[in-house]
Structures are given as C-alpha cells and as structure tokens.
Amino acid sequence: MRVALFVTCLVDQFFAQAGVASVRLLRSLGVDVEFPRGQTCCGQPAFNAGHWDEARAMALHTLEVFEGYDYVVLPSGSCASMLRVHYPELFKGRGPASRKAMALSARTYELSQFIVRVLGVEELGQGLAGRRLAYHYGCHALRELGVEDEPVRLLKNAGAEIVPWAEDRECCGFGGLFSVKMPVVSVAMADRKLDGLPEAEALVSTDAGCLMHLVGRMARRGIGVPVRHLAELLWEARQGQGAGQTEGMRHA
Amino acid sequence: MSVRTRILERIRTALADRPALQLPDVPEPAEVAWEEAYQNFAQRLEGSGAEVVRFGSPQEARGWLSEFAKSFHRAWVSPRVPERLRPDLPEAEPEVAELGVSYAQAAVAETGSVVLASREGRRGQLLVPTQLVWVEAEVLYPSLLAALRAVKGEGGAALGLHSGPSKSADIGQITVKGVHGPGRLVVGVLAFARDTTDRSSAPRDPVQRHDGELKAFRDKLKKLALEGRTLETREGKAFSVRKLSETGKTVYLELGNGAKESLPTAYLEAAVSWILTLHGRHQVGPSELGQAVASQLGLKSSVKASYLWGILHALGYV
Amino acid sequence: MPERIKDFPRASASLIEDHPEVREAVYRATLHFDQNRAKAYAEVPVEAWRDYARDVKAHLLSRLADYLEKAEARLKENGAEVLWADGPEDAHRILAEIVERHGVRRVVKAKSMLTEELGVNAFLEARGLEVYETDLGEFIIQLAKEPPSHIVGPAIHKSLDQVRRLFHEHLGTPTDAEPEALAKAARAFLRERFLTAELGISGANFLVAETGTIALVENEGNIRLTTSVPRVHVAFVGIEKLLPRFDDLAVFLQLLARAATGQPIGTFVSLIQGPKKDDPDGPEALYVVLVDNGRTAALADDEAWEVLRCIRCGACLNVCPVYRQVGGHPYGFVYSGPIGEILAPHFLGVEGAYPLYNASTLCGACGEVCPVRIPIPKLILTWRHRAVDSGLTAPAEPQLIRAYTETMRRPAAYRLASKALRLLPSALASERLPVVRAWTRYRAGLTPSPRPFHELWEELEDERKNANP
Ligand code: SF4
C-alpha cells in the first residue's frame, strides 16, 4: 500500500508540526507514508475565487505529483475536499485529465477519515486523558467530505473531553479570499463563533485555514485559548500522557 | 407578437436541447388507523395553539355546545352545519359575530388541519375572533395527500386549510395570536358514527376508497360463498351465502327457511369503505350500517341491512 | 438597484459596525427559524421529500411551456382571466387596466416577493391609490418605508422597540405597548381596509397546472382575507411557481412550511380555484398574471437554471452565516442571502449583480437545507467564475492569482518563496499590500513556522531509518 502525504501549503508553511505529527502518527500505525517532493498547493484559493484556469493549472500539477499512490492523505479538510469533490468537476469532459482527477478523488482522504475509514483504527492510545478540548467542525470537511464524528471520536477515545460548544459547526468566517474581500463580515462571523467558545485547553480543528483565521482573530481579541491542529493532538493521543508537547500555531 | 407567445417561445428555445426529465410518483404516506390519526390530529392542532374536543355521542356534543355557547352573544353559523350542531345563539353577520361555526369538508391528521369550503362563506371563517369547526369522524384523513384527493374539485371556489389560530411573530419575534384571522380555534371532533338521517343540510362527504382492502374483501366473499357456512344476523336468524353472480356484482343468499334473497355487492363494498374510513370503529349495528350505505349510494329503499351486517360480521369487519 | 448592490462590502461593514441591534435581531431570528427547521426536518422522511421535490420541479421546468399552457387552460375553465407579463412595464399596464375597469381606489396586499420585483406598490401609489400591506411584517416595513429584509420575515431586522416607535407615530399606540396591543392596533387598522378595499393583490406559492389551483401559505390570515373579501383579486405568479399535479401539493405544502419556519404546515393555506361561483362571498373577478421578469433567461442558462426550483422558503438565509451578520438590506436587492446571490445575476447580469456572489465563504450550509436541493454553493462558484471571465474583479486580483499560480506550479519556485517568507518575516505584516492590510486590520499578522514541513522531512526520514535500522 503506497500512501502519500499531501501536507498542503498552509500546513507546510504555518503548521509544520502538524505535518510532522501526521507522519509520526501514520508511521506508528504501520503506514509507511511517503512525501512526494513536488507538492505545492491544491489550487483551492484560486478555484473558490472563480479563477478556474489557474486552479486547473495547479490541479494538473497536483495530479501529476500524486499519480501512482493508493491513498493520498491530507491533514486538511478543505484541501481534501478540493481534490475529492472539486477536481472531478474542474476537469469534467477534459479527457485524460478528467480520468486522472476521478482516480485521485477516489483515493483522497482527510487524515482522521483515513485513520477511521481506511485503517479501521478508532483507538489511538490514552494520551489525551483528562484533556478538555473545543472542536471546530470545518465546513468543507463537514459538508463536502462528510467528516463528522471521526475527529471527535478519535479524540474522545483517547480520553479527551470535547466541551459543548453551541457554535461548533458554524463557519469561522475565513472563506479564502473572502476574508480579505469582506473582512468586517468575516471577522463578525469569527466573533460570533468565538463569543460562545467555552473554557477549554485548546481549540482544535482539522482545517489549517480555519485555524489560521481563528488564531489571528483570537490574538487580536486577546483570547488566550491555544489553537491546535488535530494531527498534533492525535499524535499526543498515540504517545501517552504528557508527551509530545508540540508547538501549535504562533502568531505575531 | 403577444407577450404570451414571446414567453412561451423563449421557453421552448431554452429547452430545445434539453431532455424532458422524469416526473416522480407522489410519495404515498403510510396508512394510519383512525384512533392514531385522531391522536396525531389533536396533538398537532394543540401544538399550534388550537383547542380540540372529542365527543363520543351526539348528546355529549350537544351538551358541550350549549355550555360553550354561553360565553358568546352572537354567532355566524355556516349553512353547512347540521341542525343538531348549531349553537343556540342569535345569528349575526361575520363582521360582528363573536363566534363563527364551520363544518369541515375534511380534516388532516398529518398536519393538524381542518379544510373549510368557500361554499360556507369565507368571511365567516375569517372575520370572527373565535372559530368553532365541527369535524365528522369519517372526514378525518390520516394524511394531507388523502385529504387533498378527497376534496379535489369540491367545496366551491376556494378551500382554506386552517391549522391553528392566526398568529404572527413579526413584532420583535414575539408570537401573538389573532392578528387577522380568528385568534381562537376550537375543533370539535364527532368521534361517533354519524346519525345519517340528519343529512338534510349537509352535502355528502367523501368516504375514502380502500381499493386494496376491497379486493381482499371480494376474495373473502368468494371464499364464503364456496364454503357455504351458516351465518347469522344480529337477531340470530341463520342464512348463508349461496353464490356470487357471474359478474360478481350480486350476492345470492339462502335464508334459514329456504327462501332466496339477493344483495348487490356494491352495498357490501360501500359498507366496508365506510367502516374502514372510521378506522377501527367496529361497533356498528345493522341499522346504522344500512343508513350509511343508503346515504353513501344515495338510496332510499332498504339495503337489507341485517344480512349486510351478518356477512360483515362473519368476515370480522363489524 | 445595481448601485446599491456594488455597495455591499461597505454597507455590510457599516451595518455590523454601526447597527449592532440589527445584527442582533437578525441573528436571533434566523437562529430561531433554523433551529425550528432542523427539528421539523427530523420528524419526516425529509431526504426522500427533498429528492422528490427537486425532481418534480426539475421535471416541471423541463416541460415548462406545456405546463404553462395547461395551467392557463384550467384557470380559464375555472373562470379566471389569465394575463402575461414580461416584466414591470407589462405588470403595471395590466394593473392600470384592472384598476380602471373595476373603479379601484383602495388596495390590500398580501406579502409577495414578486410584487416587490415588479415595484407594484410604488406604481399604484404614484397613480393616487391607497395601498396597504397587510402582513404584519410587511405593514411594519411599509410604515418604516423600507424594503423587506427577509423573504419570509420581512421585518426581522426590527426590534420590538423600533416597532413600538413606528406604531406610536402612525397608529397612536402608547410607546410602551406590548406586542399583543400593537398587533391589535394593526388588526383594527387593517380590518377596516380589508372591508373597504376593492382590490386584493397576492402572489402565489404554487400554481397547479392540472387543476389551475393557486396555493397561498401564511400564518396570519391576511392572505385569506386579501383573496376573499375585496371584489377583485389579482394574483401575480412567477412562471416557475407551477406544480404539475394537485397531489404534489401534499409534500410541497409541508416541505415549504417545515423549511421556512419549522411548522408542519402554514397556519392558513388558501387553495383558490377561481372567482366566486355559487359561493355566498368571495371575489367576483380573478386575474392571474403570469410573470417572466428574467425567468426565461435563467431557464436558458445551462449551468445555472437550477435556481428556478426555488420555493422561496428562506431556509438558506436563516442558515447563512453571512446573512446572519448583516440581514437583507446591505444586499441591495429584492432577494438577499444565498438565494439572492444566485438570483441577482440572472435578473441584472453578472456585472449588475457583482459582488453579491462573493458574499459567501462557501461553507455549504445553504445547500444542505434547501428543500429543493438547489446546489447553491456550486452556483455561487459558477457566477464567481463568470465574473472573473468578464474581468469584473479588482485588477490586482488576477495578477496576484497568476503570480501565485506560477509559484505553485513549480516546486522550485515554491521552495524559493518559502525561504523568502522566512528571510523577510515582515512580508506577511507588510501594510503596503492591500491583501495584507485587509487581513491585519482585524486579525493578528501570521508568523510562519520556523521551518516549513518540507525542510523537516529529511529529519523524519532519518528518524524512520534509525527506528528500523
Ligand atoms: S434557494 Fe432553497 S433554501 Fe433558499 S429560499 Fe429557495 S428553496 Fe428555500
């Protein structure tokens, strides 16, 4: 079984430790994960803003880089959804590229989804015993990929308590270029979400885009709850109590 | 070119290269027994702020009505409301009446609605502050679909479904009642077989067709004819089903004393439909049954109710 | 209208910053609607109903001309007069004739988004007629001289106190009147209008082609009154409002109510079968105006026709996180929220509707609740793509995206950019770039990880080798 990690540009640049955690976690589960060196960005920012020719150019590059793998795993819901849901649409009726896109789509998984659905693993370890976490359901993971309870199940099975949060499924307001085209609305959305944030040791999600937005807004508002990528917590879950304090996202 | 032609032409051009898509079948709701339908009906209506009262007999309804009427001075009463269900109040125009009394064309358990016909007069259904609607057991349909099928093309120029008192949350999201239509809706369900002699002022109401069940009934009837079992009227007179006619339209009976009788199958089917519409209301006697059949089929003459009852009794319908 | 649409980014920002009470009222109302919808959906086989509703509407639209002819024939048999309107001018001409013919001076109106599209009120008022909106919400905004801010709850942006002030001014109610008292005052005021108006104007939720039945759904009873009491009734019906069969009403009436407010069915449903015949009361004349106003153009759009399935339930507004912050007014268009974003370009063109379809994070919530399964996010994307193709975006955007793409297509360039990001850590905080400015004005600047993941990979490889020598 050849498994490729598509770390995604945001994790690569801003959540590097989440990438590291993903690799360690997958290896610990017996997956000899590879890292195709040519990978860059899936093209989602361009696609969502309507620049489909550019999105296609980036997607073609990605199709090439990930050719020949049985699975492509991403520590990011929205990028996984780009490959899984939107690549086939982007290349509809475009001959070989369309076939490649369909094939890649079928092999693409978000990290927790891959662990639960493909590896069939639901118990990673007890490394999160007693931890109180708030979980943010990223929109694309939730509604496009159908990743609903996988992340939370893995966290809970590792002993974490997921604190109730009425707004846990509300959009964080990021939306790619939306966040800079309509910044006031974007942060109003983030604020709505954050106003209800309960006390927790960390705010966790499987989407780097959302985390980036939330961390930026939280810092500005002085909300001190650390923001962590799901991959890091799952790796901690695997390791056992106290181990593997990873750095989390930092902000200026 | 007329606007009409232009619009239609634009549509036809737009659709020229597009295939006609399939029209799906209408989802058929599950059948529900009468008692359960009533429970749903009451629960839904009460859930939307209406009051529901159930009556087991005409006397009970009458008694309640005279009490209820005491808190009003004038009423508008639909011409469809039978004599026995009219309050003892001076009648008034809808604009000034305190109470309006309607007689439902149908009622819907699934949505908690009463269906009112414009033939009654619409102002009386809308301008009064309090509305009382009578619902006969047999016009309570389990689903909206069944009710719509029953009232299709009936009732006059317009039908109104009322599913609670008039309400609005447009002022600061706070619900208030009685904004334009009646602020109080009381529904009286007549949960007993109707006194069919008192139909003069009420038009015929729909009895549901139960085609599946009727087929089963015909099979049972055939079997009964083959077996030649001895049956009994409620008075204990013995008789048997001798045979069915070639066309299946007539049932031939042999009475205890050797005399011969015949009975149109349609009578039996009408009786079965009526019983099934009442869903589980099996406690009917021969005369009630006979009247129901006569009224349904528009007959004046005897329907040989005692044999009708005997057959249905043997087959477990009553 | 397009001018106001262009203003969305500013109007939405100023609403959030200057009118927290509106944001609060809208947020509470929509949340409440949506929670009720979710509960109501859960009680019925909603996924099967949504499939069915989608397919019925798709079928209908695929044979629309035939169904319109059929509906017209049935309506005529029922005694209604059928008229056709391309757009506002036709609608106005038709109304003027009816007003003339029947000597109309007073008009009562039932809530209808289509008449908003057609500017019916302004037209009639300009001709010296009295026009009264009778839905309580519509009445409130008519007093306030505002357009509706939500297709189901037109006044959800108004707080109780604002309504109190309005009613005090116009109806003389006390400034601290309770909602019941306010409703009572409106009832009394409008009751008199109902009884004296010569004309009632309504829209239609559905028009059944098989029987020529007009179905109208509401909670107050004002639509029943509007269509029952005055001598003349005019119903404006968008050509997409048809349903093939009478039986189709069974699911559509329930689905609409559940999607809109979470009720099992609207408190009042009118099924209108024609003008009064042997009925004791009811309008003597019924006119049904079938209106295009951009709908045939939408139908001709192979990639975006699905918007015509819409039954105007408002569920997509209620669940939309953007709409919830700002309400309907900043959109500057008759329809707001997700449905507004994908309808506006059909009515006004991709340019006229710019940038409404950018007012979305593509969170997908709207598509998840739409009772007729309109793929709203996909249609938003389609319009964004067309906007880019038509050169509507800010000039810097295509340049930026092109540069980004060129970087991402070449791993070497990407690595270089990655290095540059760390050598010039201030790059992400550079206020000179508008993109960065728009980010950092409201959020802390971003700091990249000390080393990107791709530079850590070698170490991870070593780690593996050491673990399994
Ligand atoms: S698009 Fe769908 S959810 Fe939105 S108003 Fe129309 S039918 Fe309702």
Side-chain angles (χ1 to χ4, degrees), chain A residues 104-118:
Chain A
L104 178 60
S105 163
R107 291 181 273 125
T108 297
Y109 289 86
E110 178 277 332
L111 177 67
S112 67
Q113 195 183 28
F114 179 75
I115 293 172
V116 173
R117 294 200 204 163
V118 178

Side-chain angles (χ1 to χ4, degrees), chain B residues 4 6 10 12 18 21 24 118 122-123 149 152 157 159 161-163 166-168 170 178 180-181, chain C residues 59 62 66 72 86 134 137 187 191 210 219-220 224 245 247 267 269 271 273 279 281 292 296 299:
Chain B
R4 175 184 185 276
R6 260 203 323 266
R10 280 203 297 268
R12 294 215 154 93
R18 262 187 255 161
L21 301 173
S118 62
R122 280 177 258 183
R123 288 170 173 243
R149 282 177 176 160
K152 188 173 172 181
L159 294 168
L161 277 69
H162 291 204
S163 308
S166 157
K167 58 168 101 49
S168 170
D170 284 337
H180 288 295
Chain C
H59 161 82
S62 77
D66 301 347
E72 181 188 38
D86 254 342
T134 59
R187 175 187 168 110
R191 176 59 63 90
E210 179 196 10
N219 280 331
E220 297 178 6
R224 291 218 65 207
R245 302 162 295 200
D247 284 359
T267 304
V269 175
L271 300 176
Q273 210 61 65
D279 309 271
D281 53 17
D292 181 343
T296 50
L299 187 67

